[in-house]
Amino acid sequence: MSEIPKAYEPGKIENKWYSFWLERGYFTPKIDPGRRPFVIIMPPANVTGELHLGHALTSTLEDIMTRWHRMNGDPTLWLPGTDHAGIATQVLVEQELSKQGLTKSDVGRERFSDVTWEWAIKSRENINRQYRMLGASCDWTRDCFTLDAGPSRAVRTAFVRLYNKGLIYRGERMISWCPRCQTALSDLEVEHKDVSGHLYHIRYPLANGGGFVTIATTRPETFFGDTAVAVNPNDIRYGDLVGKSVILPIINKEIPIIADEAVEPSFGTGALKITPAHDPTDFAVGERHDLPLVNIMNPDATMNKNASPYDGLERFDCRDKVVADLRDSGLLERIEPYLHSVGHCTRCDTMVEPQVSLQWFVRTRPLADEAINAVEEGRITIIPERFTKVYFRWMEDIRDWCISRQLWWGHRIPVWYCQDCNKLTVSVDEPVGCEHCNSERITQDPDVLDTWFSSALWTHSTLGWPSDTDDLRYFYPTSVMETGYDILFFWVARMIMMGLEDTGQIPFHTVYLHGLLRDEHGLKMSKLRGNVINPTEAIEKYGVDALRFALTTGSSPGNDIYLGKGKLESGRNFVNKLWNATRFILRSIDVELAEGAALPTTDVSTPQRVEDRWIQSRVNSLISSVNRLMEDFQFGEAGWRIYDFLWSEFCDWYIEFAKTRLQNPGVPVSVNADGSDELSPLPFLTQTLEKCVRLLHPFMPFVTEELWQNLKQRLPNGHRMPDSIVLAPYPGADETATDPEAERAMNATIQIVHSIRNARTEHKVRPDKWIEAQVYATDLLDEIASQANAIETLARVRPLAILDRTKRQPDEERALVLVLGEAEVVLPWTGMADQLAARRRLTQDREAIQTTIAQVEARLRDNAFLSRAPSHVIAMQRRKLTALEDRLQRLKSELSQLD
C-alpha cells in the first residue's frame, strides 16, 4: 500500500475516477419493478456554447440528490440532455455567417439547417464534456437532444392532439416582435430596461372644429395606427367629449373619443391615443370597443403604406420626422423627459415592437386549471413554499401562449396548407397530399415552434412518449424538477400543463427552485461588471470539489447565492484539510501495521475512553441531522454541518486528542475482540473518517472516492466493501451511540484547553513556553482527569494539577483565574508571564482605556451633541462606554492579582 501524495492534485484524480465510474456503468440504472425509482430529468442546456456558473450550480444540486439516492439503494436515473434553443442558436450561427459576409438568405434554409446542426453537434460535445468535468453522475446512455427523432415525434404528436381538441388555433393576437431577428418572442426572450425617453404632448383637433384634445405619448410615430382616443369615464375633464371625434394630424383621419377604465387619469393629460395593433393595453381596449387594427410597420420596423407619407422610413427616423412636422403645424404642445421601461430582445438587444400578428397559439386556460389543481391538491410540492403563491398568481392570470416563431432552426410546425381547397392538414407524419381534397399541392407552414414547446414535453418525451416504453412506465412520473426560480412560469408551469395533458399524470412530485448567483457583494454577475466566474477556470484553479462545495454550502432553496474568491478558497482549504487529516490517519495505520498490530476495522466494539465515546456520539448526531436535512432538501445546510464537524470537532479536536495517545501509547489495559487495544484511537479515527467520507460524497465526489479507496485498502473488511464509494450505503444514525455524558465531559475539556490557549494569546506567552496550571472540577473530575495528558499537550501546561473544586482554597497565590461552565482554571502569574512586563502592559492598557472613557463621558454630557446626534448614534456611544467600563474592571482585576 503506497502512501498518498503530500498534496492533493485535483485534475489527475478527477479524470481517473470519472472514467472509472463510466466504465463500470454505475450511472445507468436497472429497472426494478419492486423498487420505486428516483428520477431527475436534467434541464437541457442550450447548445449555444459553453456552460456557465448557473449550469454548474444546477448540475451540483442535482448530482447531490442523485448520488444520495443512489447510495440509499434507490434505482436512480438522472437523464441528461440539451436544447436546440431556437432563436438563441440561430442568432449565433447568423453571426458566424456574417463573419464570412453571408446571411441566412444567401445560403438558403436547407444549407442553413446543415450549418446549424454542425454547430449544435460541436456544442453538445463541449457541454457534455463540461458536465463530466463537474462530476455529473447522469446516465449518458440515455442522453437526449430536443431535435432527436424521439422528442421531435413527441412534439408533433402533442401539437396534433392539442389542435384536434381545439386547444391550438391560428389567430391575430398581440405579441412581442424582434425587428432584427424578425420573429415573435416569448416573454422570457424579452428583457425590460429603463430607457430615458420623452413624453410628447400632441394636440388632436376636434372634428367639429371646437378646439382640440391633447394626448401624451412616448411613441408619436405610431399615431398612424390610432383608431380612437380614450379617457377614463370618471374623468370630469372629458365627460362632454365622449362620443365625439378628433382628427389625426398629418393624415387627417377621423377617430372617435371613447371612455374606458383602463385609462389612468393621472398619466399625461388623461387622454390616451389608442393604437390597438401596436400596444398590449390598447389591443385590449380595442377588443372591448370593437376598434379596427391598423398595422403601420413592416417586419424590419420600417413604416409601411399605412403610415404614408412616411412609408419606408425606419421607426425612429419616422419619429423625428413626425415630431418636426407636428411642431411646424403647431400641434406639438410640449416635450418632457420621461423614464420608462422598454422591452428588448435578449438575443440581439434590439428594442422589441409590440404588434398584432397572425400566429399559432395554445389555448392555455383549460390546461392551466388542471395544473393549478395538481399543486392545490398537494400532488406537486414547490420548494420553497412561498413560490406556490407566485405559481398560482401566474397561472390564474395566464394568457394564450404564442408558439410560432419565424425562424429556420427548430421543430417545423406540422401544418400543411392546400393551394387548391385552402384547407389545413395537421399531421404527425408528413402527408403526401391534402387530407380534404387529396391534392398534392400542399405547402408546410414555414414557421417553427417556440423552444419552450418542446421543453414543456421534456419529462416524458425523453422517456419515449408517445410510445409505451419500459422507461416511460417505470421512470414516469419523475421525482424532482430542479431549476432556477426565474423560470417557474416559463418552463415549470408549462411542463406541468403538458405532462398532465399528454400522460394524464403529473410530470414530477417536487419542484426544487434554487436562487440566482451573485458575487460576494450581492451584485448580479455580468461581463460588464467584470465579476463573472468562469466555471472551467475555477475548476483549473481550485478543483471541482471546491467549486461544488462553494456553490452549495450555506445556500437554501429559493435564496440567491453569493459566490466569490473567498468562498472558492474556503472550499479548496476544506479539501486540503480533509486530505491532510486522512493522510495522517493512513500513515498512522501503516506505522502500526509495520509494527505488527492488527488492521483497524470500521466495526469497532463499544468505546471505553470518554473521547472515543464523544466522537461516536457526535458523528451519529451529525449523520442523523444530515439525513434529515437531505430529506428536507436543505442541501446547503447539510453540507455546512458536515464541514463544521470535520473541520472543528474531528480535525481540530479529536485528531489532536488522538495524537497525544499515538505519541504516548502507554500500556493497553485490555485487548478488544478485534485485536485492537483500548488505548489506540485508530479504530475510532478510521470509523469516523470512513463514515464522514461517505456523508460528504454527494457534495465532493472526487476527493471522497480517492480517500475512501485508500482507506478501504487498509481495512480488514475492505474486500467485502463495494468497489466504489458511489455504491457504498449512505450512513445511517445509530441512536444507541448517543452519549450525552461523554459530550458534556469533552465539551468541558475542550473549553479548558480553549480558555488556556486564549489566555496565553492575550498575555503574549511564547508558543514554546510551558506554564503551570491547576484545573478544579466537581461532577466531571474523573473524566477531565482522564484527559490530563491531552490537556497538558494541547494547552502546553506543565505541571498540571486536576483537583476537586470543593477543596480549593481561595487566593492561594497570585494567579489568573478562568471561571468556566464545568471547571475553574488557575494560571499562576509566576509561571505564565514576566510579572514586571505584564504589570507595565496592563497599566498602559488601563490608562488608555481610562482616557477613552473620559472622552466618551464628556461627549455624553455635551448637550449640543445630545440634541443634534441621531438616537442610534447616542445609543452606540452608551454601549461603547459600557463595554469600556467592563474592560477596565477586568484590567483592574488582573492587576490586583499581579499585586
Side-chain angles (χ1 to χ4, degrees):
M1 289 175 287
S2 59
E3 183 177 334
I4 66 172
K6 187 174 182 179
Y8 177 57
E9 298 181 52
K12 292 180 181 178
I13 287 170
E14 290 158 5
N15 291 331
K16 174 179 73 174
W17 288 120
Y18 200 86
S19 297
F20 174 80
W21 297 330
L22 283 182
E23 290 166 3
R24 299 295 182 97
Y26 293 150
F27 306 156
T28 301
K30 292 181 174 61
I31 292 177
D32 181 355
R35 302 288 304 272
R36 181 179 178 179
F38 176 80
V39 185
I40 293 181
I41 308 296
M42 178 188 287
N46 292 345
V47 288
T48 50
E50 296 186 341
L51 297 182
H52 54 66
L53 208 56
H55 294 111
L57 172 62
T58 296
S59 172
T60 300
L61 287 168
E62 293 177 13
D63 197 42
I64 287 170
M65 289 185 251
T66 299
R67 289 179 183 270
W68 181 60
H69 278 275
R70 190 183 288 119
M71 292 177 79
N72 279 323
D74 300 327
T76 302
L77 172 63
W78 182 19
L79 194 152
T82 40
D83 196 310
H84 66 280
I87 187 172
T89 303
Q90 178 158 322
V91 167
L92 286 173
V93 174
E94 285 186 57
Q95 290 172 354
E96 289 299 307
L97 286 174
S98 69
K99 294 175 184 178
Q100 305 169 38
L102 298 171
T103 66
K104 72 178 194 295
S105 300
D106 294 333
V107 298
R109 185 163 192 157
E110 186 175 347
R111 177 59 186 150
F112 183 82
S113 179
D114 292 341
V115 170
T116 312
W117 265 106
E118 291 171 8
W119 170 284
I121 290 169
K122 289 179 182 178
S123 182
R124 285 185 70 193
E125 290 171 352
N126 191 36
I127 287 169
N128 290 349
R129 178 186 59 79
Q130 288 177 303
Y131 272 129
R132 288 178 167 92
M133 184 190 299
L134 288 163
S137 63
C138 43
D139 182 4
W140 294 106
T141 67
R142 289 180 167 90
D143 183 29
C144 245
F145 181 46
T146 48
L147 287 180
D148 283 346
S152 293
R153 185 167 187 81
V155 165
R156 295 193 302 273
T157 302
F159 185 98
V160 172
R161 284 163 53 103
L162 289 170
Y163 178 83
N164 290 338
K165 293 175 73 171
L167 295 177
I168 281 183
Y169 65 93
R170 195 177 188 221
E172 287 193 324
R173 292 287 185 273
M174 179 61 62
I175 53 96
S176 294
W177 178 267
C178 176
R180 197 224 68 88
C181 300
Q182 294 202 22
T183 181
L185 302 175
S186 69
D187 291 341
L188 190 63
E189 292 160 340
V190 177
E191 179 183 4
H192 284 81
K193 301 178 183 180
D194 286 339
V195 174
S196 296
H198 296 90
L199 197 60
Y200 301 87
H201 293 254
I202 304 171
R203 295 168 177 167
Y204 282 16
L206 289 168
N208 61 12
F212 53 82
V213 174
T214 301
I215 61 93
T217 180
T218 60
R219 306 198 62 200
E221 71 277 10
T222 63
F223 87 91
F224 303 105
D226 290 0
T227 53
V229 167
V231 297
N232 190 286
N234 300 314
D235 193 336
I236 58 174
R237 293 174 295 175
Y238 301 108
D240 59 342
L241 294 180
V242 175
K244 296 181 179 180
S245 300
V246 294
I247 302 296
L248 280 180
I250 301 175
I251 59 175
N252 297 319
K253 175 183 174 184
E254 186 173 335
I255 58 173
I257 300 173
I258 62 173
D260 194 283
E261 291 186 353
V263 179
E264 289 287 343
S266 59
F267 176 77
T269 63
L272 295 184
K273 60 192 285 298
I274 301 300
T275 320
H278 292 278
D279 184 273
T281 302
D282 293 2
F283 179 77
V285 173
E287 284 195 316
R288 287 194 290 273
H289 295 272
D290 197 25
L291 299 175
L293 299 171
V294 180
N295 187 343
I296 61 168
M297 287 189 193
N298 297 312
D300 62 355
T302 57
M303 311 308 288
N304 65 22
K305 61 183 180 180
N306 290 326
S308 179
Y310 304 95
D311 188 5
L313 276 180
E314 193 275 333
R315 53 182 168 169
F316 299 122
D317 292 338
C318 179
R319 176 183 300 178
D320 295 339
K321 184 76 168 66
V322 165
V323 170
D325 290 348
L326 289 170
R327 183 182 288 112
D328 291 343
S329 60
L331 296 177
L332 182 65
E333 188 170 290
R334 70 181 186 276
I335 303 173
E336 57 189 34
Y338 187 70
L339 183 70
H340 59 134
S341 181
V342 179
H344 290 72
C345 176
T346 57
R347 305 305 173 188
C348 66
D349 205 37
T350 301
M351 191 178 293
V352 300
E353 193 61 48
Q355 66 178 41
V356 171
S357 178
L358 183 63
Q359 303 283 347
W360 287 95
F361 293 86
V362 173
R363 205 180 307 277
T364 51
R365 184 74 269 157
L367 304 177
D369 289 342
E370 290 298 316
I372 289 171
N373 291 340
V375 176
E376 280 184 336
E377 294 166 3
R379 288 180 285 151
I380 296 175
T381 301
I382 299 175
I383 300 172
E385 194 274 335
R386 68 178 185 272
F387 282 100
T388 303
K389 293 180 181 178
V390 177
Y391 172 83
F392 287 144
R393 185 172 69 248
W394 279 339
M395 297 300 275
E396 286 160 2
D397 295 338
I398 198 168
R399 294 180 297 176
D400 285 358
W401 171 17
C402 176
I403 57 171
S404 48
R405 297 291 181 269
Q406 290 64 52
L407 302 170
W408 285 358
W409 175 246
H411 295 101
R412 192 90 171 260
I413 291 177
V415 173
W416 285 260
Y417 303 98
C418 181
Q419 297 175 35
D420 290 328
C421 71
N422 294 323
K423 293 184 178 179
L424 308 184
T425 297
V426 182
S427 173
V428 173
D429 299 309
E430 185 170 355
V432 294
C434 174
E435 66 179 7
H436 303 285
C437 70
N438 295 322
S439 170
E440 295 182 1
R441 299 203 316 140
I442 57 174
T443 305
Q444 188 173 2
D445 194 303
D447 292 352
V448 299
L449 287 163
D450 177 14
T451 296
W452 295 101
F453 189 88
S454 54
S455 300
L457 315 180
W458 195 237
T459 53
H460 50 286
S461 68
T462 52
L463 296 173
W465 186 89
S467 299
D468 184 22
T469 64
D470 291 340
D471 275 5
L472 186 65
R473 284 194 299 272
Y474 185 65
F475 292 117
Y476 189 88
T478 66
S479 307
V480 177
M481 174 48 62
E482 190 282 331
T483 190
Y485 66 69
D486 54 327
I487 54 173
L488 172 61
F489 175 70
F490 298 108
W491 187 37
V492 176
R494 288 166 176 171
M495 279 191 287
I496 296 173
M497 289 192 294
M498 295 305 295
L500 287 165
E501 171 63 23
D502 290 340
T503 71
Q505 300 181 74
I506 56 173
F508 30 71
H509 301 286
T510 303
V511 177
Y512 176 96
L513 301 172
H514 65 248
L516 304 181
L517 282 164
R518 300 183 180 276
D519 70 10
E520 63 267 44
H521 306 296
L523 298 174
K524 186 177 179 181
M525 291 187 177
S526 69
K527 291 180 180 178
L528 187 63
R529 288 195 180 99
N531 59 354
V532 173
I533 295 174
N534 184 304
T536 303
E537 293 174 0
I539 288 169
E540 290 173 356
K541 186 171 183 179
Y542 302 101
V544 172
D545 290 323
L547 173 62
R548 288 169 60 114
F549 206 68
L551 282 167
T552 55
T553 305
S555 66
S556 58
N559 290 331
D560 290 350
I561 300 157
Y562 295 176
L563 182 67
K565 181 181 177 182
K567 206 171 180 186
L568 288 165
E569 288 177 346
S570 178
R572 181 178 60 189
N573 292 343
F574 180 45
V575 173
N576 290 336
K577 182 95 167 178
L578 182 61
W579 182 267
N580 291 332
T582 306
R583 188 167 181 268
F584 164 75
I585 293 170
L586 296 179
R587 290 179 68 186
S588 300
I589 293 173
D590 293 344
V591 168
E592 291 215 357
L593 289 175
E595 294 174 354
L599 283 163
T601 175
T602 54
D603 302 318
V604 295
S605 57
T606 304
Q608 302 301 312
R609 292 182 63 94
V610 66
E611 65 267 39
D612 299 334
R613 289 162 44 209
W614 167 71
I615 201 64
Q616 277 209 344
S617 180
R618 294 302 302 141
V619 78
N620 273 280
S621 175
L622 172 70
I623 291 168
S624 178
S625 64
V626 166
N627 275 298
R628 184 180 66 254
L629 289 165
M630 296 290 275
E631 289 168 1
D632 292 341
F633 294 88
Q634 296 290 340
F635 308 117
E637 181 62 23
W640 177 254
R641 297 275 182 96
I642 299 169
Y643 168 90
D644 191 49
F645 173 84
L646 277 168
W647 190 287
S648 178
E649 292 180 278
F650 186 64
C651 292
D652 286 355
W653 291 110
Y654 186 67
I655 286 181
E656 295 306 310
F657 279 104
K659 284 179 181 178
T660 66
R661 292 159 64 185
L662 291 168
Q663 293 161 2
N664 305 283
V667 180
V669 294
S670 65
V671 177
N672 295 319
D674 62 3
S676 62
D677 64 73
E678 276 189 5
L679 295 183
S680 174
L682 274 175
F684 305 103
L685 282 166
T686 305
Q687 179 196 58
T688 304
L689 176 64
E690 195 274 338
K691 286 181 178 178
C692 287
V693 167
R694 280 187 283 137
L695 273 180
L696 188 59
H697 175 70
F699 301 86
M700 291 181 157
F702 294 109
V703 70
T704 52
E705 180 74 270
E706 178 72 13
L707 297 179
W708 190 81
Q709 293 286 353
N710 275 278
L711 195 58
K712 175 185 166 186
Q713 292 176 21
R714 291 164 171 82
L715 298 177
N717 60 339
H719 64 283
R720 298 197 302 270
M721 297 167 73
D723 291 339
S724 169
I725 194 173
V726 168
L727 304 180
Y730 204 71
D734 177 6
E735 300 302 329
T736 64
T738 303
D739 194 331
E741 287 304 310
E743 292 194 26
R744 181 186 169 203
M746 287 306 296
N747 287 341
T749 303
I750 289 169
Q751 192 176 25
I752 290 166
V753 174
H754 195 65
S755 66
I756 297 173
R757 285 175 171 175
N758 285 346
R760 292 176 65 105
T761 301
E762 184 177 351
H763 294 283
K764 298 179 173 60
V765 179
R766 294 195 323 272
D768 62 340
K769 180 180 175 64
W770 293 87
I771 62 173
E772 182 183 353
Q774 293 106 41
V775 175
Y776 294 90
T778 51
D779 296 350
L780 298 175
L781 181 62
D782 292 341
E783 288 84 352
I784 293 173
S786 73
Q787 300 302 312
N789 184 49
I791 294 171
E792 184 179 274
T793 303
L794 299 179
R796 207 159 181 79
V797 290
R798 189 183 295 160
L800 170 66
I802 299 177
L803 307 165
D804 189 336
R805 195 175 192 174
T806 62
K807 297 177 181 179
R808 185 193 168 205
Q809 297 299 317
D811 303 323
E812 292 173 348
E813 58 178 305
R814 290 176 295 178
L816 176 63
V817 179
L818 309 172
V819 180
L820 310 177
E822 301 279 5
E824 196 169 303
V825 177
V826 177
L827 304 175
W829 285 113
T830 54
M832 192 171 74
D834 178 338
Q835 294 185 55
L836 185 60
R839 187 180 293 108
R840 187 184 303 116
R841 179 179 57 78
L842 291 171
T843 301
Q844 290 172 346
D845 288 350
R846 181 190 63 187
E847 290 172 352
I849 287 177
Q850 285 173 332
T851 300
T852 306
I853 286 174
Q855 293 170 346
V856 176
E857 286 178 333
R859 189 175 296 122
L860 289 172
R861 288 194 301 270
D862 184 356
N863 290 330
F865 169 76
L866 294 174
S867 63
R868 289 196 302 266
S871 58
H872 72 274
V873 173
I874 297 171
M876 183 176 67
Q877 289 295 314
R878 286 176 175 152
R879 288 195 298 271
K880 180 179 178 179
L881 179 61
T882 301
L884 287 167
E885 289 172 341
D886 289 344
R887 174 65 179 145
L888 180 61
Q889 285 303 116
R890 289 199 301 273
L891 286 170
K892 287 179 177 179
S893 175
E894 291 181 25
L895 278 167
S896 67
Q897 290 174 3
L898 275 176
D899 294 335

